[in-house]
């Protein structure tokens, strides 16, 4: 379990109020974790702050699952 | 009631008659205020009058980059940005058939696009705080139209549509978005009218007088208050009954 994945999972759990075990690699924020479109914007904002990176809008749209987020952040770092 | 202690409010056009009273009213209710406008001297004078909890933040709302930077400047100066009052506005009146592209663009840029940019810039902090108030100053003209003001009426009506759409999007985050639509308010501008012009105007107002800028300030305090948390996407008409909408 990488440090990035732990930190991303913590943000997702806190923000969406879901159980940690539901946050799997293939878990879709919207379809599986109950996020609405505004939640996804807020998650991206939270990732940007946590990791000190900028996630452009077109990239943000490709981040659909927990695994997508972890991969994007690792690549961006 | 209507205690804004601990809240920070940015008011654009605070050098004008209505904006100044809005700032005074918010400050009087306990808020920290950021006074924005193009002319620095009247902003400094107002800040000196208010004393503590007042910050001067000059900005040209026709300059997109400066507008985008203003919410961040305001949050840094005040500690947060909880209340945004989009009050600044300009007029470039003229008959529609003769209206230049520049007069149209200038009015839309300052009165509508700047409000969008400022609201967008203020949103991140409000979303995180799960609390926010956006109050835009529209006009009766946005609902009724007025000859010679196609650009101004379009911008003011545009504020209403924008506010309603945004109100939908952020309601679940404790952020309300509303418009105050003043009728004829007594300011330096209306002082210049002739007596005949004033009489003609008053004949259309059931209350029988022009509004006081303080009455717009009071409306702004209400919409900014925690008590108004269930009021969103609405237009509060403050017009002496001139148009009962």
């Amino acid at each position: 379990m990488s440090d990035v994945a732990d930190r991303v999972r913590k943000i997702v759990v806190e923000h969406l109020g879901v159980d940690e075990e539901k946050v799997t690699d293939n878990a879709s924020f919207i379809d599986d974790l109950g996020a609405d479109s505004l939640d996804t914007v807020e998650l991206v904002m939270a990732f940007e702050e946590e990791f000190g990176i900028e996630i452009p809008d077109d990239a943000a749209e490709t981040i659909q699952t927990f695994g997508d987020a972890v991969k994007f952040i690792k690549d961006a770092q | 009631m209507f205690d804004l202690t601990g809240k920070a409010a940015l008011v654009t056009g605070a050098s004008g008659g209505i904006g100044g009273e809005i700032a005074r009213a918010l400050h009087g209710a306990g808020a920290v205020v950021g006074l924005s406008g193009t002319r620095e001297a009247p902003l400094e004078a107002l800040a000196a009058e208010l004393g503590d909890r007042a910050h001067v933040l000059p900005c040209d709302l026709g300059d997109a980059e400066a507008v985008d930077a203003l919410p961040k400047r305001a949050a840094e100066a005040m500690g947060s940005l909880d209340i945004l009052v989009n009050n600044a506005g300009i007029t470039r009146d003229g008959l529609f058939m003769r209206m230049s592209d520049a007069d149209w663009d200038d009015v839309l840029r300052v009165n509508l696009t700047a409000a969008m940019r400022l609201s967008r810039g203020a949103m991140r902090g409000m979303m995180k705080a799960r609390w926010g108030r956006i109050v835009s100053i529209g006009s009766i003209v946005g609902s009724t139209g007025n000859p010679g003001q196609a650009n101004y009426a379009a911008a003011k009506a545009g504020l209403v549509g924008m506010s309603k759409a945004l109100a939908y999007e952020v309601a679940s985050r404790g952020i309300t978005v509303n418009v105050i639509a003043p009728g004829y308010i007594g300011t330096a501008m209306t002082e210049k009218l002739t007596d005949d012009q004033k009489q003609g105007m008053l004949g259309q107002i059931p209350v029988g007088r022009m509004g006081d800028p303080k009455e717009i300030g009071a409306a702004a305090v209400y919409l900014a208050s925690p008590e108004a948390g269930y009021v969103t996407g609405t237009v509060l008409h403050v017009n002496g009954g001139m148009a009962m909408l």
Side-chain angles (χ1 to χ4, degrees), chain B residues 175-242:
Chain B
I175 303 168
T176 69
V177 189
N178 292 291
V179 172
I180 297 171
Y184 286 125
I185 306 298
T187 61
M189 197 171 72
T190 50
E191 283 300 307
K192 289 179 192 157
L193 299 171
T194 65
D195 284 349
D196 277 356
Q197 285 175 316
K198 276 187 192 168
Q199 281 312 314
M201 200 184 272
L202 293 180
Q204 305 168 49
I205 305 173
V207 170
R209 63 172 176 84
M210 280 197 261
D212 188 309
K214 285 189 173 66
E215 291 169 314
I216 306 302
V221 167
Y222 168 62
L223 290 176
S225 72
E227 284 83 354
Y230 205 55
V231 178
T232 196
T234 197
V235 181
L236 178 51
H237 291 275
V238 184
N239 63 28
M242 188 177 164

Side-chain angles (χ1 to χ4, degrees), chain B residues 19 72 75 101 116 123 135 138 147 164 184 224 231 235:
Chain B
K72 201 172 174 199
D101 287 2
M116 179 280 287
M123 200 51 56
V135 179
K164 289 181 177 182
Y184 286 125
V231 178
V235 181

Side-chain angles (χ1 to χ4, degrees), chain A residues 15 36 38-42 45-46 48-49, chain B residues 123-125 127-128 130 169-173:
Chain A
H15 190 90
D36 63 20
L38 198 55
D39 287 318
T40 61
V41 173
E42 287 187 296
M45 277 165 37
E48 287 178 332
E49 287 186 15
Chain B
M123 200 51 56
R124 183 179 281 238
M127 296 260 283
K128 281 184 76 176
R130 290 288 188 270
E169 291 188 19
V170 298
S172 64
R173 304 310 198 259

Side-chain angles (χ1 to χ4, degrees), chain B:
Chain B
M1 221 183 199
F2 306 151
D3 182 4
L4 300 178
T5 304
K7 304 294 187 195
L10 172 65
V11 181
T12 66
S15 49
I18 292 177
E21 284 303 333
I22 292 171
R24 281 192 188 91
L26 294 170
H27 187 268
V32 178
V33 292
L35 310 171
S36 193
T38 43
R39 292 172 298 139
E40 202 166 339
L43 298 176
E44 291 288 356
L46 180 56
E49 174 200 318
L50 296 176
D52 288 348
R53 294 185 282 112
H55 301 265
V56 174
L57 300 160
C59 182
D60 173 6
L61 293 188
D63 178 344
E65 276 185 31
V67 174
D68 280 337
L70 182 59
K72 201 172 174 199
R73 277 173 63 206
E76 280 168 4
M78 301 191 289
S80 65
L81 177 52
D82 311 296
I83 300 161
L84 169 65
V85 181
N86 291 308
N87 164 73
I90 59 169
T91 54
R92 296 280 185 272
D93 297 355
L95 287 177
F96 185 79
M97 286 181 70
R98 293 176 180 275
M99 185 163 288
S100 69
D101 287 2
D103 285 349
W104 176 268
D105 288 343
D106 286 351
V107 167
L108 269 288
R109 184 181 308 118
V110 172
N111 296 14
L112 181 59
T113 307
M116 179 280 287
R117 289 180 178 278
L118 293 174
S119 302
R120 191 174 58 188
M123 200 51 56
R124 183 179 281 238
M126 291 179 181
M127 296 260 283
K128 281 184 76 176
R130 290 288 188 270
W131 199 92
R133 296 284 185 265
I134 295 178
V135 179
S136 295
I137 307 304
S139 168
I140 186 174
V141 164
S143 301
T144 63
N146 199 28
Q149 293 198 305
N151 47 4
Y152 188 77
K156 295 300 190 180
L159 283 175
V160 173
M162 180 190 82
S163 297
K164 289 181 177 182
L166 179 54
Y168 261 112
E169 291 188 19
V170 298
S172 64
R173 304 310 198 259
I175 303 168
T176 69
V177 189
N178 292 291
V179 172
I180 297 171
Y184 286 125
I185 306 298
T187 61
M189 197 171 72
T190 50
E191 283 300 307
K192 289 179 192 157
L193 299 171
T194 65
D195 284 349
D196 277 356
Q197 285 175 316
K198 276 187 192 168
Q199 281 312 314
M201 200 184 272
L202 293 180
Q204 305 168 49
I205 305 173
V207 170
R209 63 172 176 84
M210 280 197 261
D212 188 309
K214 285 189 173 66
E215 291 169 314
I216 306 302
V221 167
Y222 168 62
L223 290 176
S225 72
E227 284 83 354
Y230 205 55
V231 178
T232 196
T234 197
V235 181
L236 178 51
H237 291 275
V238 184
N239 63 28
M242 188 177 164
M244 301 190 189
L245 301 163

Side-chain angles (χ1 to χ4, degrees), chain A:
Chain A
M1 187 67 67
S2 77
D3 175 50
V4 169
D6 284 345
R7 287 157 71 191
V8 171
R9 181 177 288 107
K10 185 160 175 284
I11 289 170
V12 172
V13 166
E14 275 175 12
H15 190 90
L16 299 179
V18 291
D19 291 335
E20 210 173 303
E21 52 269 28
K22 283 194 170 173
V23 187
T24 58
D25 272 0
N26 292 325
S28 156
F29 294 123
I30 289 177
D31 295 333
D32 302 317
L33 301 176
D36 63 20
S37 57
L38 198 55
D39 287 318
T40 61
V41 173
E42 287 187 296
L43 283 173
V44 166
M45 277 165 37
F47 298 152
E48 287 178 332
E49 287 186 15
E50 172 73 16
F51 296 98
I53 55 173
E54 286 237 1
I55 305 178
D57 286 345
D58 53 344
E61 279 169 25
T62 68
I63 300 175
Q64 306 280 337
T65 66
F66 171 71
D68 293 340
V70 173
K71 182 174 185 310
F72 182 91
I73 292 162
K74 278 184 178 167
D75 291 347
Q77 279 184 324

